[in-house]
PDB file of all heavy atoms in Angstrom:
ATOM      1  N   PHE A1193      14.847  -7.112  28.722  1.00  0.00           N
ATOM      2  CA  PHE A1193      14.440  -8.544  28.795  1.00  0.00           C
ATOM      3  C   PHE A1193      14.343  -9.011  30.212  1.00  0.00           C
ATOM      4  O   PHE A1193      14.986  -8.449  31.174  1.00  0.00           O
ATOM      5  CB  PHE A1193      15.609  -9.320  28.118  1.00  0.00           C
ATOM      6  CG  PHE A1193      15.518  -9.277  26.644  1.00  0.00           C
ATOM      7  CD1 PHE A1193      16.017  -8.236  25.906  1.00  0.00           C
ATOM      8  CD2 PHE A1193      14.886 -10.330  25.900  1.00  0.00           C
ATOM      9  CE1 PHE A1193      15.929  -8.202  24.537  1.00  0.00           C
ATOM     10  CE2 PHE A1193      14.820 -10.283  24.520  1.00  0.00           C
ATOM     11  CZ  PHE A1193      15.339  -9.235  23.863  1.00  0.00           C
ATOM     12  N   PRO A1194      13.513 -10.008  30.554  1.00  0.00           N
ATOM     13  CA  PRO A1194      13.382 -10.578  31.930  1.00  0.00           C
ATOM     14  C   PRO A1194      14.614 -11.161  32.447  1.00  0.00           C
ATOM     15  O   PRO A1194      15.524 -11.527  31.648  1.00  0.00           O
ATOM     16  CB  PRO A1194      12.301 -11.623  31.794  1.00  0.00           C
ATOM     17  CG  PRO A1194      11.519 -11.224  30.527  1.00  0.00           C
ATOM     18  CD  PRO A1194      12.577 -10.598  29.621  1.00  0.00           C
ATOM     19  N   ARG A1195      14.760 -11.185  33.784  1.00  0.00           N
ATOM     20  CA  ARG A1195      15.853 -11.920  34.457  1.00  0.00           C
ATOM     21  C   ARG A1195      17.235 -11.387  33.995  1.00  0.00           C
ATOM     22  O   ARG A1195      18.213 -11.985  33.941  1.00  0.00           O
ATOM     23  CB  ARG A1195      15.854 -13.404  34.123  1.00  0.00           C
ATOM     24  CG  ARG A1195      14.677 -14.199  34.658  1.00  0.00           C
ATOM     25  CD  ARG A1195      14.528 -14.176  36.147  1.00  0.00           C
ATOM     26  NE  ARG A1195      15.487 -15.011  36.793  1.00  0.00           N
ATOM     27  CZ  ARG A1195      15.289 -16.141  37.244  1.00  0.00           C
ATOM     28  NH1 ARG A1195      14.065 -16.744  37.244  1.00  0.00           N
ATOM     29  NH2 ARG A1195      16.275 -16.842  37.905  1.00  0.00           N
ATOM     30  N   ASN A1196      17.221  -9.981  33.784  1.00  0.00           N
ATOM     31  CA  ASN A1196      18.496  -9.320  33.579  1.00  0.00           C
ATOM     32  C   ASN A1196      19.262  -9.856  32.344  1.00  0.00           C
ATOM     33  O   ASN A1196      20.576  -9.841  32.412  1.00  0.00           O
ATOM     34  CB  ASN A1196      19.451  -9.254  34.754  1.00  0.00           C
ATOM     35  CG  ASN A1196      18.844  -8.533  35.920  1.00  0.00           C
ATOM     36  OD1 ASN A1196      18.115  -7.521  35.679  1.00  0.00           O
ATOM     37  ND2 ASN A1196      19.004  -9.043  37.131  1.00  0.00           N
ATOM     38  N   TYR A1197      18.610 -10.385  31.374  1.00  0.00           N
ATOM     39  CA  TYR A1197      19.264 -10.948  30.128  1.00  0.00           C
ATOM     40  C   TYR A1197      19.905  -9.798  29.371  1.00  0.00           C
ATOM     41  O   TYR A1197      20.908 -10.127  28.612  1.00  0.00           O
ATOM     42  CB  TYR A1197      18.231 -11.684  29.316  1.00  0.00           C
ATOM     43  CG  TYR A1197      18.232 -13.200  29.556  1.00  0.00           C
ATOM     44  CD1 TYR A1197      17.438 -13.783  30.496  1.00  0.00           C
ATOM     45  CD2 TYR A1197      19.260 -14.032  28.926  1.00  0.00           C
ATOM     46  CE1 TYR A1197      17.421 -15.150  30.683  1.00  0.00           C
ATOM     47  CE2 TYR A1197      19.235 -15.404  29.233  1.00  0.00           C
ATOM     48  CZ  TYR A1197      18.356 -15.950  30.083  1.00  0.00           C
ATOM     49  OH  TYR A1197      18.404 -17.302  30.309  1.00  0.00           O
ATOM     50  N   ASP A1198      19.549  -8.654  29.537  1.00  0.00           N
ATOM     51  CA  ASP A1198      20.141  -7.484  28.783  1.00  0.00           C
ATOM     52  C   ASP A1198      21.625  -7.468  29.083  1.00  0.00           C
ATOM     53  O   ASP A1198      22.455  -7.160  28.249  1.00  0.00           O
ATOM     54  CB  ASP A1198      19.525  -6.174  29.129  1.00  0.00           C
ATOM     55  CG  ASP A1198      18.153  -6.009  28.462  1.00  0.00           C
ATOM     56  OD1 ASP A1198      18.148  -5.939  27.195  1.00  0.00           O
ATOM     57  OD2 ASP A1198      17.208  -6.061  29.106  1.00  0.00           O
ATOM     58  N   ASP A1199      21.969  -7.769  30.306  1.00  0.00           N
ATOM     59  CA  ASP A1199      23.385  -7.579  30.782  1.00  0.00           C
ATOM     60  C   ASP A1199      24.260  -8.751  30.289  1.00  0.00           C
ATOM     61  O   ASP A1199      25.457  -8.592  30.127  1.00  0.00           O
ATOM     62  CB  ASP A1199      23.480  -7.570  32.235  1.00  0.00           C
ATOM     63  CG  ASP A1199      22.638  -6.413  32.848  1.00  0.00           C
ATOM     64  OD1 ASP A1199      22.409  -5.474  32.116  1.00  0.00           O
ATOM     65  OD2 ASP A1199      22.197  -6.513  34.001  1.00  0.00           O
ATOM     66  N   ARG A1200      23.678  -9.861  29.816  1.00  0.00           N
ATOM     67  CA  ARG A1200      24.465 -11.039  29.413  1.00  0.00           C
ATOM     68  C   ARG A1200      24.529 -11.282  27.923  1.00  0.00           C
ATOM     69  O   ARG A1200      25.209 -12.095  27.464  1.00  0.00           O
ATOM     70  CB  ARG A1200      23.933 -12.294  30.061  1.00  0.00           C
ATOM     71  CG  ARG A1200      23.251 -12.233  31.364  1.00  0.00           C
ATOM     72  CD  ARG A1200      22.673 -13.624  31.811  1.00  0.00           C
ATOM     73  NE  ARG A1200      21.481 -13.480  32.568  1.00  0.00           N
ATOM     74  CZ  ARG A1200      20.792 -14.564  32.954  1.00  0.00           C
ATOM     75  NH1 ARG A1200      20.979 -15.698  32.391  1.00  0.00           N
ATOM     76  NH2 ARG A1200      19.738 -14.340  33.669  1.00  0.00           N
ATOM     77  N   MET A1201      23.706 -10.502  27.205  1.00  0.00           N
ATOM     78  CA  MET A1201      23.468 -10.754  25.716  1.00  0.00           C
ATOM     79  C   MET A1201      24.151  -9.693  24.934  1.00  0.00           C
ATOM     80  O   MET A1201      24.154  -8.498  25.267  1.00  0.00           O
ATOM     81  CB  MET A1201      22.020 -10.898  25.355  1.00  0.00           C
ATOM     82  CG  MET A1201      21.331 -12.097  25.971  1.00  0.00           C
ATOM     83  SD  MET A1201      19.691 -12.318  25.283  1.00  0.00           S
ATOM     84  CE  MET A1201      18.845 -10.846  25.797  1.00  0.00           C
ATOM     85  N   THR A1202      24.706 -10.174  23.788  1.00  0.00           N
ATOM     86  CA  THR A1202      25.118  -9.251  22.672  1.00  0.00           C
ATOM     87  C   THR A1202      23.880  -8.782  21.924  1.00  0.00           C
ATOM     88  O   THR A1202      22.821  -9.413  22.025  1.00  0.00           O
ATOM     89  CB  THR A1202      26.063  -9.912  21.655  1.00  0.00           C
ATOM     90  OG1 THR A1202      25.352 -10.933  21.052  1.00  0.00           O
ATOM     91  CG2 THR A1202      27.271 -10.563  22.461  1.00  0.00           C
ATOM     92  N   PRO A1203      23.970  -7.663  21.177  1.00  0.00           N
ATOM     93  CA  PRO A1203      22.850  -7.236  20.345  1.00  0.00           C
ATOM     94  C   PRO A1203      22.165  -8.334  19.450  1.00  0.00           C
ATOM     95  O   PRO A1203      21.021  -8.493  19.390  1.00  0.00           O
ATOM     96  CB  PRO A1203      23.298  -6.102  19.522  1.00  0.00           C
ATOM     97  CG  PRO A1203      24.497  -5.534  20.345  1.00  0.00           C
ATOM     98  CD  PRO A1203      25.092  -6.705  21.065  1.00  0.00           C
ATOM     99  N   PHE A1204      23.107  -9.201  18.840  1.00  0.00           N
ATOM    100  CA  PHE A1204      22.611 -10.244  18.067  1.00  0.00           C
ATOM    101  C   PHE A1204      21.894 -11.368  18.759  1.00  0.00           C
ATOM    102  O   PHE A1204      20.837 -11.958  18.344  1.00  0.00           O
ATOM    103  CB  PHE A1204      23.747 -10.874  17.134  1.00  0.00           C
ATOM    104  CG  PHE A1204      23.304 -11.748  16.103  1.00  0.00           C
ATOM    105  CD1 PHE A1204      22.764 -11.181  14.924  1.00  0.00           C
ATOM    106  CD2 PHE A1204      23.255 -13.143  16.212  1.00  0.00           C
ATOM    107  CE1 PHE A1204      22.325 -11.959  13.941  1.00  0.00           C
ATOM    108  CE2 PHE A1204      22.714 -13.885  15.114  1.00  0.00           C
ATOM    109  CZ  PHE A1204      22.271 -13.345  13.966  1.00  0.00           C
ATOM    110  N   GLN A1205      22.414 -11.687  20.035  1.00  0.00           N
ATOM    111  CA  GLN A1205      21.769 -12.651  20.918  1.00  0.00           C
ATOM    112  C   GLN A1205      20.377 -12.140  21.359  1.00  0.00           C
ATOM    113  O   GLN A1205      19.446 -13.020  21.505  1.00  0.00           O
ATOM    114  CB  GLN A1205      22.616 -12.950  22.080  1.00  0.00           C
ATOM    115  CG  GLN A1205      23.852 -13.840  21.738  1.00  0.00           C
ATOM    116  CD  GLN A1205      24.792 -13.989  22.859  1.00  0.00           C
ATOM    117  OE1 GLN A1205      24.872 -13.147  23.761  1.00  0.00           O
ATOM    118  NE2 GLN A1205      25.538 -15.137  22.941  1.00  0.00           N
ATOM    119  N   LYS A1206      20.212 -10.863  21.456  1.00  0.00           N
ATOM    120  CA  LYS A1206      18.918 -10.313  21.782  1.00  0.00           C
ATOM    121  C   LYS A1206      17.876 -10.601  20.687  1.00  0.00           C
ATOM    122  O   LYS A1206      16.674 -10.991  20.879  1.00  0.00           O
ATOM    123  CB  LYS A1206      18.950  -8.775  21.974  1.00  0.00           C
ATOM    124  CG  LYS A1206      19.685  -8.380  23.262  1.00  0.00           C
ATOM    125  CD  LYS A1206      19.748  -6.819  23.389  1.00  0.00           C
ATOM    126  CE  LYS A1206      20.493  -6.460  24.639  1.00  0.00           C
ATOM    127  NZ  LYS A1206      20.681  -4.991  24.728  1.00  0.00           N
ATOM    128  N   LEU A1207      18.335 -10.632  19.429  1.00  0.00           N
ATOM    129  CA  LEU A1207      17.475 -10.915  18.258  1.00  0.00           C
ATOM    130  C   LEU A1207      17.159 -12.454  18.336  1.00  0.00           C
ATOM    131  O   LEU A1207      15.975 -12.727  18.013  1.00  0.00           O
ATOM    132  CB  LEU A1207      18.275 -10.669  16.952  1.00  0.00           C
ATOM    133  CG  LEU A1207      18.445  -9.252  16.514  1.00  0.00           C
ATOM    134  CD1 LEU A1207      19.198  -9.253  15.147  1.00  0.00           C
ATOM    135  CD2 LEU A1207      17.164  -8.468  16.375  1.00  0.00           C
TER     136      LEU A1207
END
Side-chain angles (χ1 to χ4, degrees):
F1193 281 83
R1195 298 294 291 257
N1196 297 321
Y1197 262 95
D1198 285 291
D1199 303 334
R1200 334 178 206 166
M1201 292 190 295
T1202 64
F1204 193 78
Q1205 285 173 332
K1206 289 179 183 178
L1207 290 179

